[in-house]
Structures are given as C-alpha cells and as structure tokens.
Amino acid sequence: MSTRRIALTVNGTRHEAEAPVRQHLGDFLRGTLGLTGTHLGCEHGVCGACTVLLDGRAIRACLVLAVQAEDRAVTTVEGLAPSPEALHPLQAAFCANHGLQCGFCTPGMLTTLEEFLRDCPDPTEEEVRVAISGNLCRCTGYDSIVAATMEAARAMREAAA
Amino acid sequence: MKAAPFAYHDPRSVEEALHLLATLENARLLAGGQSLMPMLNMRVAFPDHLIDLNRVEGLAGVTAEGGALRIGAMTRQRDIEESPLVRAHLPLMSEALTHVGHRQTRNRGTIGGSLCNLDPSAELVAVATALDAVLEVQGPSGARDLSIHELPLGFMTPSLAPEEMLTAIRIPLPPAGHGAAFEEFARRHGDYAITSAAAVLVLEGGRIARASLTLGGVGAGPLRLRSAEAALAGQAPSEALLREAAAACGSIDAMSDPQAPAWYRRRLAATLARRALTAAASRATTPARQGGLA
C-alpha cells in the first residue's frame, strides 16, 4: 500500500510518521499518534465528533487525509487545556453545566466551540446553536451545551478584560 | 468506512495538475473534499489516482477585475463568506453561504468543488446561476470561458471534459444598490435545501430594470425562471406583482424524491420565491451603497 512520511505539529509538538496516503487524519491521530481524544463517529462528515483545528480552523478530521496535514498545525481536544492541572474554560463550563453525558460528541463540540468563541466572544444562544449545528449529540438535548458555552464565553471575556 | 487504495498526487501548479489529469487513468481531482471524501470513505467513488489541488499555487483568492469579482476555484467557502469584497458587491453570495453545510465544512469546502459537484440543491450553484457567473476552465488545449448556464448537462454532471479543470469563477457585479435575497427550506440548518430561491432586483426610477430569479433543489439542475423575470421587468415592485411572479413557480416541473414530493416542492418554490423577491425589493429600495470598485 502506498504510504508517505509526513511531518506535522500536533498540540505544539512536532511529529514525524509514516501514513498510508488513503488514511484520514482522524485515524492517523488516533492510531499512529495515540491521541484517542478525537472521536470517530460516522466517518463521512455528518456527526462532527472528529472535529479538530487545522491551522486554527475547525475541520472534520475524517474528511482530510493525513498527508494533507503535512507541515500544518493540528490541535485536538488534548491540546485545549492550558496545563495538565487546569481545564480550558469551555471544559470547565461543560463539567459544571452537565454539557456532556456519554462524552462521545464532546471533543468535537469543544474544538468547534473553541474556534467559534475566538471569532465570536459574546454570542447569543441562537448563534451558539448555529455554531454547533454540525455536531450531533444524542444525550443532552443541546440545552446544557448551549448553557455551558454561554458560561464559558462569559468567563473568557472576564479573563480577557 | 475507509477509502479504497489510490495513488496520491499533490501537484504545485495548474500545469502539473493538468498534465496528471490528462495522463492518468481513472483520476479524480480533490478540492475541499467535503463531498468527495465522504464518497471515498463510503466507497461510492473508486479513483485509482487522487489529484489533490490543495497545494496548487494561485487557485485561491477573491479579486476585483473590471466590473466583476474573480474567485479562485480553490477559495474556501468560509473565506468567501467573510470576504469584504463579496459582502459589499455580492450580498446574495454571502447570505447563501451561511446555509452551506456547517462552519467545519465551510472551512474546507471550496466554490470550485461545489460548482463541479453540481448538486441540484447546492446553494452556490443557485447563486452562480442567479448572478450569471462565467467559469474559467483550463485543459490540454488551453483556457476557455464557460457560462454557468451551460455547465449542467444533467443530474450532478458538469459539461467539463475529463481532462479539464475549473480554475476560477468570474461574477459580473450587479449595480450598487441592487437588492438580493436568498431563501431556502431544509429539514435542519446546514442540510441540503429541499428547495431554495435566489432573487436579484435592480431598480431604476422606482421600476424593476432587471430581475433574476433562480430556484435550487427542484430538478436535476438550477432553474432560472426567465418568464417570471420578463414579467417583472419594467414594472413597479408592488406586493401584488411580486406575489404573482412568485406564483408562477407553483407550476414548474419539479422532481419527487424520498425527501419531498413534486407538489410540495412547487408550493415551497412559490413561497420561497415570494419571500426572496419581497426581501430583494425592500433591500433594493434602501439607499445605494456608496462607490463601486476601485
């Protein structure tokens, strides 16, 4: 099978590894780099669970080939927290607001919302709902995710002030 | 849900991409990958060669050129959505883009990919049709311009030769002060529209100087409603006139599929067309935006 050696930065760390050219980024992150925080649900771009940041933008890791991430910077859910001791404000707010139950959609929700709050630090609830429209959650009914996001946005605005 | 094996090529120039396309058997071009990658993962598509355009120089960007906006085929939908040039001169496209998939797919998806995939419900296909876009196509025998109206040959079938590729889209600018609106109905935000309507109205002296009305999702390709446009031209944009023009959409030849029967699409078309025309008319009567292109 055709493979290619690629170098990329994941969560600030430089990695070099062999990737089959047909392998999508999600499988590469999980299988080759062992970063299993990125979840794979549908693998055809519908569920949003595999969302990661590619050069700061939220993308579906199942719809990008690993070889396309050559020389690019990827951030996964493992890279969101500022330190091993502290949670990202979104993670803390999800925890406090029951923003997750089974947790399968959570990595995709968090990475999607991290980009969204950078662009839109003071969103309305409606804007949050549109922002997560590409992420399926079968547990929460979304209300607690929206509440958590509003709280995280407040906390991040206060921290920046 | 894993792609079947293929050989991967990532050319750096249009020439290199065209050479690969002309010489490789069963090759597919990969643009943003938001339709082709799912097809590969589901093994609906089996190319032997994938030619990735993401590292080709000079295929992305929005520029103003002599009364038109030129959008590179590999320009991401998100970059078009946020382009100040597009917002100022082609508000129809900015508005429609908010309905295209989701933030994560617009961060990757490209305008060239959307147009060549030619899904009948795709918002960008309807918008390009409403705005009379001209496609810049390159192939082994050189470059040619292709009107968007000549692109669809049938369901999801663009009139490009196998060794040709779309490199840019030129959209003639409607005059400053025109009104435009995009309306669609989909089961969920970001889904492909069951039916959509794109309207552009240019007013002069209180009358409609030019009208453009396009429906998406009703048939194998986008549908420009020339007779309704002709009925609007020269008239004052009264509520009754717009309602009557939109009502003509109720007798179009619409398709049935598992999502919706034809009669439902016809009713949606008439309603969405009326909303789009009404919004376009109200926006056209607001003071003209200052200035044209520098």
Side-chain angles (χ1 to χ4, degrees):
Chain A
M1 194 190 307
S2 171
T3 66
R4 199 184 260 209
R5 191 152 191 87
I6 58 169
L8 71 169
T9 303
V10 182
N11 300 331
T13 306
R14 189 87 177 152
H15 292 273
E16 247 192 83
E18 202 77 24
V21 296
R22 66 167 167 160
Q23 186 176 56
H24 62 64
L25 180 60
D27 272 341
F28 177 81
L29 292 169
R30 290 176 56 87
T32 305
L33 300 187
L35 293 168
T36 51
T38 299
H39 290 169
L40 290 167
C42 71
E43 291 187 72
H44 62 278
V46 174
C47 75
C50 68
T51 304
V52 299
L53 302 172
L54 184 64
D55 290 337
R57 281 188 164 193
I59 55 109
R60 302 199 190 288
C62 71
L63 299 186
V64 172
L65 296 169
V67 291
Q68 292 184 300
E70 163 90 31
D71 285 335
R72 314 276 302 266
V74 176
T75 305
T76 67
V77 68
E78 289 96 336
L80 292 184
S83 75
E85 291 78 34
L87 293 175
H88 186 281
L90 271 166
Q91 292 170 316
F94 265 59
C95 190
N97 289 275
H98 301 287
L100 63 148
Q101 288 179 34
C102 86
F104 197 87
C105 71
T106 314
M109 288 284 181
L110 293 171
T111 45
T112 298
L113 289 165
E114 197 280 334
E115 185 206 26
F116 171 68
L117 290 184
R118 256 188 286 132
D119 290 347
C120 188
D122 192 4
T124 63
E125 287 197 7
E126 181 57 29
E127 286 169 330
V128 173
R129 286 181 191 277
V130 171
I132 58 170
S133 64
N135 298 73
L136 297 183
C137 171
R138 303 289 79 163
C139 302
T140 64
Y142 302 99
D143 279 358
S144 54
I145 293 176
V146 174
T149 307
M150 297 302 284
E151 184 180 300
R154 259 194 313 277
M156 290 164 75
R157 285 198 306 276
E158 280 163 18
Chain B
M1 309 301 275
K2 310 291 177 192
F6 49 76
Y8 175 76
H9 309 267
D10 52 344
R12 305 300 147 118
S13 69
V14 171
E15 293 69 31
E16 209 185 322
L18 286 171
H19 175 73
L20 290 166
L21 195 56
T23 49
L24 298 172
E25 281 290 318
N26 189 21
R28 287 289 292 267
L29 294 172
L30 176 65
Q34 302 304 291
S35 296
L36 182 54
M37 284 289 295
M39 289 194 272
L40 292 171
N41 287 355
M42 292 192 284
R43 301 203 176 192
V44 176
F46 292 88
D48 291 313
H49 297 274
L50 203 58
I51 305 170
D52 183 359
L53 299 177
N54 283 278
R55 292 189 194 266
V56 172
E57 292 286 331
L59 283 181
V62 181
T63 48
E65 284 181 14
L69 281 195
R70 186 171 182 276
I71 306 176
M74 285 296 290
T75 313
R76 310 279 173 200
Q77 291 156 358
R78 177 86 186 282
D79 292 327
I80 300 171
E81 185 184 343
E82 295 183 348
S83 157
L85 277 174
V86 174
R87 279 195 180 154
H89 300 289
L90 302 174
L92 179 67
M93 185 167 276
S94 309
E95 184 180 14
L97 274 163
T98 63
H99 296 280
V100 178
H102 309 280
R103 165 178 288 256
Q104 302 102 320
T105 63
R106 295 199 294 275
N107 277 341
R108 285 298 287 176
T110 64
I111 187 169
S114 288
L115 295 184
C116 290
N117 190 51
L118 206 59
D119 189 290
S121 292
E123 290 83 358
L124 285 173
V125 172
V127 166
T129 303
L131 294 172
D132 299 308
V134 176
L135 313 182
E136 297 180 13
V137 176
Q138 290 196 35
S141 52
R144 66 177 175 122
D145 280 354
L146 176 70
S147 161
I148 184 74
H149 307 302
E150 290 162 20
L151 183 69
L153 284 181
F155 181 72
M156 294 183 83
T157 310
S159 60
L160 299 182
E163 64 280 0
E164 282 185 321
M165 62 183 263
L166 176 63
T167 52
I169 296 95
R170 283 200 317 275
I171 301 180
L173 298 183
H178 76 277
F182 187 89
E183 295 281 340
E184 76 169 41
F185 180 77
R187 285 290 186 86
R188 293 163 300 197
H189 183 91
D191 279 9
Y192 278 113
I194 293 175
T195 296
S196 64
V200 182
L201 293 178
V202 179
L203 300 188
E204 272 172 28
R207 291 181 180 274
I208 298 170
R210 215 169 83 205
S212 166
L213 182 60
T214 303
L215 296 175
V218 292
L223 182 64
R224 217 21 218 267
L225 293 151
R226 305 280 182 188
S227 54
E229 292 173 6
L232 289 166
Q235 309 290 316
S238 67
E239 197 194 322
L241 177 80
L242 301 179
R243 185 176 290 275
E244 194 181 328
C249 300
S251 54
I252 55 163
D253 196 12
M255 66 175 175
S256 288
D257 68 6
Q259 280 209 87
W263 67 262
Y264 187 72
R265 282 195 161 81
R266 278 193 286 271
R267 289 178 66 165
L268 277 179
T271 301
L272 294 169
R274 176 174 51 76
R275 286 181 192 166
L277 286 170
T278 305
S282 72
R283 291 168 189 176
T285 51
T286 56
R289 280 176 208 81
Q290 288 304 302
L293 289 173

